[in-house]
Amino acid sequence: MANITRESFSALVVQYERLVYTICFQLVRDSAAAEDLTQETFLSAYLHRDALPEGYERQWLGRIAANKAKDHLQSAWNRRTVLPGDQELARGLAPPAEETALRRSAAAEIREAIQAMKEPYRQVCRLCLLEERSVEEAALALGRPPKTVYTQLSRGRRLLREQLERSGTHGSIPR
């Protein structure tokens, strides 16, 4: 099937897009990522359409989708973007929508509380807690000794915890 036309490839996309999406979703358990991986699968299939074995389109697309999803799961970006607390979840289980909304609300309140802090705590907490930079990275960015940044971060966390307790938010402060 080396000379596959654009129209015949479009027909393959229409025929197998649900299958490819389902394979990706079953592996990554994230609808947005599964949609992206579905597009990547068909892009890769189109670029390598000369390798498409005639009569085995379904299996070929399924294998590409599975490989794309596995690559995504092993990627450094995916490992880096795991949210605090998500590592306790069993793979593939999403928290209830209400719990997710409460977590986002608490995160927004933490961001607002950090923005309302006085210096030098605001910058240190923003860098270390919101941007998840290390104490050393924050010290370099702020031009301060790491020990000073560590002390300011410790005090900033305490002030943040006190502020959140006063406001009634029981969101956990990032470590």
Side-chain angles (χ1 to χ4, degrees), residues 18-173:
R18 292 304 311 160
L19 170 73
V20 169
Y21 173 83
T22 301
I23 290 169
C24 293
F25 182 79
Q26 289 292 322
L27 291 168
V28 300
R29 293 292 186 189
D30 176 11
S31 60
E35 288 172 10
D36 291 343
L37 291 168
T38 298
Q39 288 181 359
E40 287 180 31
T41 297
F42 284 112
L43 176 62
S44 180
Y46 185 76
L47 294 174
H48 299 95
R49 62 190 179 276
D50 54 327
L52 174 62
E54 196 164 346
Y56 294 94
E57 296 86 1
R58 182 175 195 260
Q59 294 88 338
W60 187 66
L61 288 169
R63 177 52 41 206
I64 293 171
N67 287 339
K68 291 286 180 189
K70 288 175 183 176
D71 289 347
H72 171 78
L73 291 172
Q74 293 174 352
S75 72
W77 174 254
N78 186 53
R79 288 192 313 267
R80 187 182 76 76
T81 57
V82 172
L83 299 173
D86 282 354
Q87 57 270 32
E88 287 105 29
L89 294 176
R91 256 273 187 241
L93 295 179
E98 182 180 324
E99 184 179 323
T100 302
L102 288 173
R103 238 192 256 156
R104 285 186 183 151
S105 173
E109 191 161 347
I110 290 171
R111 274 193 303 279
E112 289 171 13
I114 288 173
Q115 293 305 324
M117 293 176 99
K118 293 181 180 178
E119 288 303 337
Y121 308 115
R122 180 184 328 136
Q123 286 183 322
V124 171
C125 287
R126 180 182 53 80
L127 290 171
C128 293
L129 301 179
L130 296 181
E131 295 181 17
E132 298 181 2
R133 293 193 190 184
S134 69
V135 170
E136 291 77 19
E137 291 171 327
L140 189 61
L142 296 170
R144 299 177 190 159
K147 184 73 174 159
T148 301
V149 172
Y150 180 79
T151 301
Q152 291 169 344
L153 177 60
S154 179
R155 290 177 183 163
R157 276 193 183 126
R158 189 186 75 238
L159 292 170
L160 186 58
R161 188 173 295 111
E162 290 169 1
Q163 171 63 31
L164 294 174
E165 286 172 358
R166 279 194 304 273
S167 69
T169 301
H170 297 295
S172 63
I173 298 170

Side-chain angles (χ1 to χ4, degrees), residues 1-14:
M1 208 174 220
N3 268 340
I4 188 167
T5 65
R6 190 175 274 182
E7 292 78 25
S8 60
F9 188 81
S10 294
L12 277 177
V13 171
V14 170

